[in-house]
Amino acid sequence: MYTCPKNHNSTEADFCSECGAKIMGLGIAELTPNPISLPTNTSSSSSVSCPVCSTPHEADSGNFCEICGYNFLSGAQGGVPFPAPVTEFQSIITLPPTTISPPAATGQWQAIISIDSRFATPDSPPAPDRLPITIPLTKPISAIGRTSQGRAIYPDISLDFDDAVSSRHAILTLNPDGSLILRDIGSSNGTIVNGKEVGIMVDITIRSGDEIILGHWTKIKLVSD
């Protein structure tokens, strides 16, 4: 156990599993495990699904979804760390509402998956002979990756034919205004969008016709009606 700056008992050493406050980088004394002893007989952890992206989440692995950052404790969405709770002094400040006109909504997004052997490397196996398939993107978050029965990972866009694709490779977020966002969530071999490799955990705005290259030779073309 670790103690966060707000004196919560945290099971995580970097961010507090209770409130999300940052622990990493504090003094050594503050990172000293809490002397409270843990029970000797612990029951097996239960698994729940993230209500935002449906990723399985073990109850003893903290309060945040490792894919989309959903806070199981507060219900907040986004990445970690989350903002600190509002203090009693901040709560009396009322800010005027901000009016922002949403972008014009786009049509239905589709992912067209195909094999392009031009992207193979000398270490790549022979490209399989597969016809392109089209998957409509209808969920708020669609996971890209390979199926793992043992880890209970079942991607919405399953690329099981390409072993250079990570089980949890990337996600596509479909916003209410119709815009589409791509995020590499820590893949082993990277993700390329329109010929340029993108950073890990960096949101990339997708436009109709953009092409994603990942794995040995897998291409995903994203188009909207």
Side-chain angles (χ1 to χ4, degrees):
M1 299 290 287
Y2 300 88
T3 302
C4 85
K6 299 182 182 298
N7 294 321
H8 295 134
N9 292 328
S10 172
T11 58
E12 305 292 335
D14 48 3
F15 296 103
C16 177
S17 59
E18 290 290 333
C19 66
K22 185 175 181 181
I23 298 177
M24 184 179 295
L26 297 177
I28 296 177
E30 294 174 274
L31 284 175
T32 303
N34 195 309
I36 299 176
S37 60
L38 296 174
T40 55
N41 295 323
T42 57
S43 59
S44 59
S45 60
S46 58
S47 177
V48 297
S49 296
C50 173
V52 176
C53 66
S54 302
T55 300
H57 175 79
E58 298 297 331
D60 60 357
S61 62
N63 294 321
F64 304 102
C65 174
E66 65 177 301
I67 297 299
C68 68
Y70 175 79
N71 189 328
F72 286 89
L73 186 64
S74 67
Q77 299 181 28
V80 293
F82 287 93
V86 177
T87 67
E88 58 180 329
F89 299 102
Q90 293 172 323
S91 63
I92 64 174
I93 301 175
T94 303
L95 298 178
T98 302
T99 302
I100 300 177
S101 299
T106 59
Q108 173 67 55
W109 283 94
Q110 295 179 331
I112 304 173
I113 303 167
S114 60
I115 302 298
D116 194 330
S117 59
R118 294 176 301 171
F119 298 100
T121 68
D123 296 328
S124 297
D129 185 14
R130 296 175 59 95
L131 293 175
I133 61 173
T134 300
I135 299 177
L137 303 179
T138 58
K139 297 172 60 176
I141 294 181
S142 298
I144 303 173
R146 289 189 299 116
T147 302
S148 173
Q149 298 283 350
R151 298 171 61 193
I153 299 175
Y154 304 96
D156 303 286
I157 301 177
S158 180
L159 306 176
D160 295 347
F161 53 83
D162 192 333
D163 62 10
V165 174
S166 298
S167 294
R168 288 174 174 163
H169 196 106
I171 58 173
L172 288 167
T173 301
L174 181 60
N175 294 317
D177 62 16
S179 60
L180 190 66
I181 303 296
L182 169 74
R183 178 189 296 178
D184 184 307
I185 55 176
S187 66
S188 298
N189 297 312
T191 303
I192 297 173
V193 177
N194 296 333
K196 182 178 180 180
E197 186 167 4
V198 301
I200 294 175
M201 301 304 288
V202 175
D203 289 345
I204 304 297
T205 300
I206 296 297
R207 292 172 174 79
S208 183
D210 284 354
E211 292 184 345
I212 303 173
I213 304 298
L214 64 168
H216 290 298
W217 13 243
T218 300
K219 179 170 69 176
I220 303 177
K221 186 174 183 178
L222 298 166
V223 296
S224 63
D225 298 334

